[in-house]
Amino acid sequence: MLEVALQHRYPGFDLDVGFTAPAGLTALFGRSGAGKTTVIKAVAGLLRVDQARVVLNGEVVSVRPAHQRRLGVVFQEARLFPHLSVRQNLLYGQWFSGKSSGLGLGEVVELLGLEALLTRRPEGLSGGEKQRVAIGRALLSRPAMLLMDEPLAGLDHARKAEILPYLERLRDAAGLPVLYVSHALPEVARLATTIVVLEAGRVRRAGPAAGILADPELAPALGLREAGSVITARLVSQEADGLSRLETAAGPVWLPRVEAVVGAVLHLRIPAHEVILALVRPGGLSALNILPVVVAAVRIGEGPGAIVQVRLGEEALLVRITRRSAEAMGLAPGMQCFAVLKSVALAREDIGA
């Protein structure tokens, strides 16, 4: 458990934030200039602010220098030692940790898939491989918490897709809370268990990721173009025609083959603009995924758009449509309708563990 309360004044910008980061991966999300990097650097002790109270697992660490806070930090750049092998880079943090507990070298190597890289030097690694080594080095310093500042921002699409499964594994298997900074909503939606939305140096909202992502009032702050929500699905079969069948709270969904074992529980990020609503179950469509839903909320924007929140059992889905469509359909809380989703609307990086 991490408790943070920070205040700092810059010319033309005041930071005043307070939040709690529970177990799991807590994402600090906001647009450029919202204060994300200032917060994580202040928590790490790398930036002195006007007022700071940082409590980690009941201990006030803000009174300590950075090297005594037991916080592993991973930056956007891997910052590996070029003259050391991967194995030597990994062990560097362990040499100074002074801790006997925590993950060992073998466990970190297996967790991050580094077996084939141990004898190589950093110049021979891809961007994603370098970041995996940097994460491993931070883990081997035996931290009480891991801080990650835009770790995927410098990677191309392919390298991000490469490293995301390892970050999921780290979140679920390492038993270590993570404070994660990003301005990329799809990345946050896939990884976060808790989200803290920062806006102009203030906490706009904080809470469980599913609720934050599916809140129509927060869609403008999160970014309308990337707005979307996450629902849970279980992989039930791999079909002969190359599709995978997944079961959701509202019924089956078919997607291009998902690389997972049958029975796996997955999280699907569904972009709000890729969902169509219908008052009656449509027929004669190429779209395979038609789910019965109930309207929970309708937010009419200042422009021509509207955001509708619909419910699938206990989960919520955001739908972005025009104001004209919302008014013509008479959408209101409690109405039953159907959500139509294209099978090809979900990118592979939108499907996570």
Side-chain angles (χ1 to χ4, degrees):
M1 176 74 74
L2 178 73
E3 301 170 55
V4 176
L6 303 171
Q7 291 183 336
H8 193 67
R9 177 169 293 180
Y10 291 102
F13 179 80
D14 288 344
L15 180 78
D16 187 354
V17 302
F19 64 88
T20 298
L25 189 146
T26 297
L28 294 179
F29 177 82
R31 299 175 183 177
S32 295
K36 305 183 300 297
T37 295
T38 298
V39 170
I40 203 165
K41 285 185 175 180
V43 170
L46 302 177
L47 176 68
R48 180 173 293 180
V49 295
D50 298 335
Q51 295 184 48
R53 179 175 171 80
V54 180
V55 182
L56 179 59
N57 297 330
E59 298 183 21
V60 179
V61 299
S62 45
V63 297
R64 303 176 186 169
H67 67 281
Q68 293 181 358
R69 296 191 181 191
R70 292 195 61 205
L71 296 169
V73 184
V74 179
F75 297 99
Q76 181 176 333
E77 304 84 17
R79 303 186 183 185
L80 302 179
F81 296 108
H83 62 292
L84 300 180
S85 68
V86 166
R87 179 189 292 272
Q88 291 168 324
N89 268 282
L90 289 170
L91 290 174
Y92 183 83
Q94 195 176 45
W95 294 339
F96 299 97
S97 69
K99 301 290 181 182
S100 59
S101 61
L103 296 175
L105 177 63
E107 294 169 299
V108 168
V109 167
E110 182 179 0
L111 179 70
L112 297 173
L114 300 175
E115 296 90 345
L117 308 179
L118 291 175
T119 61
R120 293 165 60 180
R121 294 285 180 90
E123 68 267 16
L125 304 179
S126 70
E129 289 169 341
K130 289 178 181 177
Q131 283 299 71
R132 282 154 54 196
V133 176
I135 294 167
R137 183 175 62 183
L139 287 174
L140 284 168
S141 70
R142 312 293 172 61
M145 187 169 196
L146 197 61
L147 309 182
M148 308 184 78
D149 186 11
E150 300 273 13
L152 306 188
L155 304 181
D156 60 25
H157 183 80
R159 300 290 79 76
K160 286 184 179 181
E162 168 197 321
I163 199 171
L164 278 168
Y166 292 103
L167 293 178
E168 288 177 326
R169 193 181 301 176
L170 170 66
R171 176 198 65 200
D172 298 336
L176 191 69
V178 181
L179 186 62
Y180 189 99
V181 166
S182 179
H183 66 276
L185 189 59
E187 181 183 318
V188 167
R190 177 161 172 177
L191 296 174
T193 53
T194 301
I195 298 177
V196 179
V197 181
L198 294 183
E199 197 171 55
R202 303 290 191 276
V203 175
R204 171 73 183 273
R205 192 78 61 81
I212 295 291
L213 293 168
D215 188 340
E217 295 300 322
L218 287 177
L222 297 176
L224 288 174
R225 288 183 178 275
E226 291 190 323
S229 41
V230 176
I231 63 172
T232 305
R234 184 172 60 87
L235 178 61
V236 295
S237 65
Q238 302 286 12
E239 305 290 317
D241 60 358
L243 295 180
S244 298
R245 174 173 173 161
L246 297 96
E247 197 68 33
T248 74
V253 167
W254 282 267
L255 298 176
R257 184 178 177 86
V258 176
E259 296 301 329
V261 298
V262 172
V265 176
L266 303 172
H267 296 91
L268 313 180
R269 178 184 176 271
I270 301 178
H273 65 270
E274 295 287 2
V275 185
I276 298 171
L277 291 180
L279 294 180
V280 297
R281 187 178 186 90
L285 295 180
S286 61
L288 296 173
N289 303 319
I290 303 173
L291 301 175
V293 295
V294 177
V295 176
V298 180
R299 183 187 185 278
I300 303 297
E302 296 180 359
I307 293 287
V308 183
Q309 183 193 66
V310 297
R311 300 206 69 83
L312 304 76
E314 297 298 318
E315 298 186 307
L317 188 66
L318 282 190
V319 186
R320 184 182 172 198
I321 60 176
T322 63
R323 175 203 293 255
R324 180 175 298 187
S325 294
E327 293 174 346
M329 297 172 71
L331 296 177
M335 285 184 60
Q336 294 186 343
C337 56
F338 295 86
V340 182
L341 170 67
K342 294 180 181 178
S343 295
V344 295
L346 272 70
R348 289 193 180 276
E349 58 267 29
D350 289 330
I351 304 171

